[in-house]
Amino acid sequence: MKRVVIIGMGFGGIRAARVLAGKGLDVVLVDRNNYHLFQPLLYQVGTAGLEQESIAYPVRAMARQWPGTRFHLAEVTGIDFEAREVVTDSRRIPYDYLVIGAGSVTNYFGLESVERQAFDLKELIDGERLRNHILTAFERAMVEPDPARRRALMTFVIVGGGPTGVEFAGALMELVRYVLAKDYPDLSVQAARVVLVEAFDRLLAAMPPELQVYTLEKLRSMGVEVLFNARVVDAGPEQVALHDGAIIPAHTLFWSAGVKAAPLAGTLGVTPKAGGRIPVEPDLTIAGHPEVFVIGDMAYFEQDGAALPMVAPVAMQMGTYAGEAIVAREKGETLPQFRYRDRGSMATIGRSAAVACAFGMKFRGYAAWLVWLLLHLYYLIGFRNRIVVMLNWIWYYWFHERQVRLITERVEE
């Protein structure tokens, strides 16, 4: 029986495993975490909207439903292409086919001070840490006698005007204005600032101009300060510095300005493309290694003259294709080259407000927000998770209340 090893249980890896299950292959799933994380909702953990357990699902619970599939918890440190073995921190795993979908990490573009000070949202623990930090900042503001430092504690700088930055900015402002304002009646929460910094002249660059304008107007109406053509170049514990010399007194910096391929990409011996991504052939394999597929954020694949974006829909379609390609080969068949079908993009701005572009149509406001909710519930893994998330959203919609306002770890100043 031939063995397929899948590295990474993100969106691409999960799709590949589903296709390969029950096809007469020995499928080994490898990840350093024992769960699949629904990363698009991680910002809601950071803003006290959801429990972290509600957006994650155990890999072993999925694997036991997939015939011929088993899971190995390990950190992958390299690939021995000659021996056809995956090198992990515990043992070597031989393979006949290999699917690499280790994802991405945050790209700080060499800004070391920013990397030390900023929060990001890539791992499940990041959401909890960010929530602890935000709530602790308000607790400290309660007892801070210096007005300037008190306001800096309630100032939050968000870098990056893509979907993550926009969604986090809107959710954080709603948390401050509708929830924390009631929790801290003796604190002038209205003085809190949420500052969204974007290096270019627009938000949501992949969206049509009219949806970009709607997003900007909606955020500003909520009280979010949006700075265009601005770049963060330095950061300290109590301030953020911009490229033009401006200083923003702030104790919280959130970075969503870019990602790059996971460090595993640098160990493959392949000359990388932009963002450290691995160039792949039309069938998503590495040149010279037709048994090795690279999918998701790690893969650099050009289509219609441009590289595909590092987003979940691309990873899912690549994962499905890699699985089908392996099955086809075992049958002595071949598939046409991979082609991504863009079904659109969307982003939520706040309660009853979102933007979406799909199937040539544009949506905004309540309709787009409802579509966003339904699609995220659909793609979320686990019936219990869907119910818990839906109940949290319903509760917040009717009562403007977020129940997960827990400081689970004291943050050192």
Side-chain angles (χ1 to χ4, degrees):
M1 182 183 294
K2 290 189 177 180
R3 175 178 291 171
V4 183
V5 176
I6 303 176
I7 301 174
M9 288 294 97
F11 290 104
I14 292 295
R15 288 301 180 98
R18 283 177 174 170
V19 172
L20 292 167
K23 298 300 192 299
L25 297 163
D26 177 22
V27 183
V28 180
L29 315 177
V30 184
D31 200 298
R32 64 182 178 183
N33 298 312
N34 75 332
Y35 55 83
H36 165 73
L37 173 64
F38 193 80
Q39 204 172 71
L41 292 180
L42 190 52
Y43 78 93
Q44 293 201 11
V45 176
T47 53
L50 295 174
E51 302 91 340
Q52 62 183 28
E53 295 83 2
S54 65
I55 62 167
Y57 197 81
V59 176
R60 290 190 181 276
M62 290 185 285
R64 71 190 184 199
Q65 302 173 30
W66 298 335
T69 301
R70 52 201 172 94
F71 174 66
H72 183 63
L73 181 66
E75 178 85 36
V76 175
T77 57
I79 310 295
D80 187 337
F81 290 120
E82 296 302 319
R84 292 195 177 187
E85 291 181 336
V86 174
V87 183
T88 75
D89 55 1
S90 60
R91 65 185 179 98
R92 285 174 170 254
I93 306 174
Y95 65 83
D96 295 291
Y97 295 102
L98 177 62
V99 179
I100 307 175
S104 60
V105 295
T106 301
N107 190 353
Y108 292 98
F109 304 101
L111 299 173
E112 295 181 2
S113 63
V114 171
E115 185 171 359
R116 287 194 303 269
Q117 299 296 330
F119 290 87
D120 66 354
L121 287 173
K122 298 299 289 184
E123 300 284 348
L124 191 57
I125 189 64
D126 296 334
E128 185 179 8
R129 286 173 177 163
L130 184 55
R131 184 189 70 213
N132 288 336
H133 177 83
I134 292 170
L135 297 177
T136 300
F138 279 88
E139 294 293 342
R140 288 181 179 152
M142 277 290 296
V143 296
E144 176 57 53
D146 182 358
R149 194 163 187 269
R150 184 165 59 247
R151 191 169 193 209
L153 282 164
M154 297 189 296
T155 297
F156 306 88
V157 177
I158 301 167
V159 182
T164 301
V166 167
E167 292 181 345
F168 182 70
L172 180 57
M173 181 54 78
E174 289 189 337
L175 171 68
V176 171
R177 293 292 170 88
Y178 298 126
V179 182
L180 299 185
K182 294 181 288 187
D183 283 352
Y184 301 92
D186 298 327
L187 193 63
S188 182
V189 173
Q190 298 302 318
R193 300 175 65 195
V194 175
V195 184
L196 181 58
V197 179
E198 168 55 44
F200 298 102
D201 60 355
R202 60 192 182 278
L203 301 174
L204 302 177
M207 291 279 187
E210 54 266 43
L211 298 185
Q212 296 173 357
V213 171
Y214 172 82
T215 301
L216 175 62
E217 292 176 348
K218 182 63 179 178
L219 285 175
R220 284 180 169 167
S221 71
M222 296 167 65
V224 177
E225 302 173 37
V226 181
L227 305 181
F228 287 122
N229 301 308
R231 301 190 312 276
V232 171
V233 296
D234 195 11
E238 299 186 2
Q239 65 180 30
V240 175
L242 303 183
H243 74 288
D244 58 1
I247 301 295
I248 303 176
H251 286 239
T252 306
L253 173 62
F254 175 75
W255 189 269
S256 66
V259 293
K260 59 184 179 180
L264 179 63
T267 70
L268 302 184
V270 179
T271 302
K273 292 286 190 176
R277 301 162 76 185
I278 302 299
V280 295
E281 300 293 297
D283 61 354
L284 304 183
T285 61
I286 297 178
H289 297 282
E291 76 285 355
V292 179
F293 296 80
V294 180
I295 63 174
D297 290 352
M298 287 187 66
Y300 182 91
F301 185 90
E302 290 191 358
Q303 181 174 299
D304 299 331
L308 293 180
M310 301 165 75
V311 293
V314 173
M316 289 190 286
Q317 291 185 33
M318 283 184 167
T320 299
Y321 178 91
E324 292 175 346
I326 292 171
V327 173
R329 281 197 204 174
E330 287 301 294
K331 294 179 178 179
E333 303 171 353
T334 57
L335 294 181
Q337 73 175 45
F338 174 76
R339 183 163 186 83
Y340 172 61
R341 292 172 175 79
D342 188 359
R343 295 185 172 90
S345 57
M346 58 180 58
T348 181
I349 308 166
R351 181 174 177 268
S352 301
V355 290
C357 182
F359 306 107
M361 297 182 289
K362 304 163 191 173
F363 306 90
R364 65 182 186 181
Y366 183 82
W369 178 74
L370 192 59
V371 171
W372 183 93
L373 292 180
L374 294 175
L375 280 177
H376 280 68
L377 285 173
Y378 174 77
Y379 284 114
L380 193 62
I381 295 178
F383 179 75
R384 175 192 173 277
N385 284 0
R386 294 189 183 107
I387 294 298
V388 170
V389 170
M390 183 176 66
L391 289 176
N392 272 281
W393 286 346
I394 291 173
W395 187 264
Y396 176 69
Y397 182 82
W398 288 109
F399 299 105
H400 267 308
E401 190 72 30
R402 298 187 186 180
Q403 296 299 102
V404 200
R405 301 191 306 281
L406 310 177
I407 300 177
T408 55
E409 183 181 358
R410 293 294 297 273
V411 181
E412 296 296 329
E413 187 169 5

